[in-house]
Amino acid sequence: MDRTAAQGRPVVTSRLSRRQRRRISQGIQYAIFVAALVLVGLLADWDRLQNQFAQKDLVAQLFPEIITTALRNTVVYTLSGFAFGLVLGLVVALMRLSSVAPYRWLASVYIEFFRGLPALLILIFVGVAVPLAFPGTEIPGGTYGKVALGLGLVAAAYMAETIRAGIQAVPKGQMEAARSLGFSHARAMVSVIIPQAFRIVIPPLTNELVLLFKDSSLVLFLGITLNERELTKFGRDLASQTANSTPILVAGLCYLIVTVPLSFVVRRLEARADKAK
C-alpha cells in the first residue's frame, strides 16, 4: 500500500480524463485559429486589396452582362456537357457490365483513357484535332457543341464508374424478382435496376455536376467569341482592360453562388442516403 494512503492522507493524481484532454486540445486549436486570423488581419494591407479587388464602380460596370452572358453560357456549357456525359456514361457502364468481353474491354479502355487525360487536352483535341482529321466536318452547335462533346467525354468516364457501382449496389434479388415476373433481362434493367441505381448514385452525380461547372472555365482555350464567353473568360478580359482584378473576384463569387448551394444539396442527399441504409 502507498505510504501516503496508509497515513490517511488523500491521494492526489495529476492525470486528466480523456474528455478533459480533448477539451484542452480543442481549446488550443481554437486559440491557434483565432491567433492566425488576428495575425492575418493585422498584417494584410486592406487598402491595397480593396483597390485591386473591390472597386465598386467596376462592379457596377459588370452587370448585367456578367449574368446574362457569362453566367448563362457557363450554365449552358455545364448542363450540355453533363447531359451528354450522363447518357454516354450510362452506355459505357452497361458495356462495362456486359457479358460480351470486347464490350468490357472497350469500356475499360475508354474509362482509363479519358480519366487519365486532363480535360483541357480533351477540349483542345475536340476543337482542333477533329476538324483537322475530318476536313469539312462541323460539330453541330458550334462552340456549344464542341464544349458539350469535350466536357461530356471526360464526365462520362467518371459517371460510368459511378453508375456501374450503383447498378452493382442494387440487390441481386431485384433482378431475380423481375425475371420471375416474366421480364426480359433488358426490360428488367431499364424498368427495375437502373431506376434504383440512379437513386443510389444521385449524390455523386450531383458532385460531378459541381466539378463540371468549374471545369467549364477551360472553354476559354477554344478561342470563343465575345457572346460565347463564360465566367472565367469574361472576368479575365475585363481585368485586362481595366488593369484591375475586381472582375475576376466577381466572377469567382458567381461560381460560388452556384456551387455552394449544389454542394449543400450533395451533403443533404448523402445524409438522406445514409439514413436510408
Side-chain angles (χ1 to χ4, degrees):
M1 181 180 298
D2 184 75
R3 180 180 301 177
T4 304
Q7 295 176 357
R9 297 177 182 176
V11 179
V12 179
T13 177
S14 61
R15 299 182 61 183
L16 299 175
S17 65
R18 182 178 301 176
R19 179 178 297 180
Q20 290 174 329
R21 291 196 301 269
R22 184 170 64 250
R23 288 180 177 177
I24 292 174
S25 176
Q26 290 177 346
I28 294 174
Q29 294 177 40
Y30 280 118
I32 294 174
F33 178 73
V34 172
L37 289 180
V38 172
L39 185 63
V40 170
L42 293 176
L43 296 180
D45 191 338
W46 295 105
D47 291 334
R48 294 185 64 184
L49 287 174
Q50 182 178 1
N51 291 333
Q52 186 64 27
F53 290 97
Q55 289 290 336
K56 295 181 180 179
D57 55 338
L58 290 181
V59 173
Q61 295 176 16
L62 300 177
F63 291 91
E65 192 176 2
I66 192 172
I67 302 297
T68 58
T69 299
L71 182 58
R72 177 183 62 84
N73 285 334
T74 300
V75 172
V76 171
Y77 292 148
T78 302
L79 294 181
S80 60
F82 183 82
F84 179 77
L86 184 62
V87 174
L88 182 58
L90 176 60
V91 174
V92 175
L94 294 176
M95 292 174 61
R96 188 79 168 79
L97 297 171
S98 175
S99 59
V100 181
Y103 286 168
R104 295 198 304 272
W105 299 338
L106 183 60
S108 298
V109 170
Y110 175 88
I111 291 171
E112 296 302 325
F113 180 80
F114 282 99
R115 287 202 307 180
L117 289 177
L120 175 59
L121 294 183
I122 303 301
L123 283 172
I124 294 175
F125 175 81
V126 170
V128 178
V130 171
L132 291 177
F134 304 96
T137 301
E138 289 288 341
I139 297 177
T143 300
Y144 294 95
K146 294 176 183 178
V147 174
L149 179 60
L151 293 180
L153 287 173
V154 178
Y158 292 92
M159 292 185 189
E161 286 294 270
T162 301
I163 296 172
R164 178 190 62 80
I167 292 175
Q168 292 180 326
V170 177
K172 295 182 179 180
Q174 296 292 320
M175 174 61 77
E176 297 172 356
R179 295 301 298 272
S180 67
L181 294 175
F183 283 54
S184 64
H185 183 273
R187 184 181 176 187
M189 286 292 294
V190 173
S191 302
V192 179
I193 305 300
I194 292 179
Q196 294 187 57
F198 269 97
R199 283 197 292 270
I200 295 172
V201 301
I202 283 178
L205 287 182
T206 307
N207 193 49
E208 180 63 31
L209 179 62
V210 174
L211 296 176
L212 203 62
F213 185 79
K214 293 184 291 184
D215 285 343
S216 65
S217 62
L218 300 174
V219 174
L220 64 92
F221 292 97
L222 289 179
I224 55 181
T225 64
L226 293 177
N227 292 329
E228 296 170 343
R229 290 181 298 178
E230 37 69 51
L231 284 171
T232 300
K233 176 66 173 174
F234 182 88
R236 184 180 178 184
D237 289 348
L238 269 295
S240 299
Q241 294 174 13
T242 60
N244 192 276
S245 300
T246 299
I248 295 179
L249 176 63
V250 177
L253 293 176
C254 290
Y255 278 106
L256 291 176
I257 290 173
V258 177
T259 57
V260 170
L262 282 177
S263 299
F264 176 76
V265 170
V266 171
R267 290 193 295 270
R268 295 285 295 179
L269 292 173
E270 290 176 345
R272 183 178 297 180
D274 292 337
K275 291 181 180 179
K277 292 182 180 179

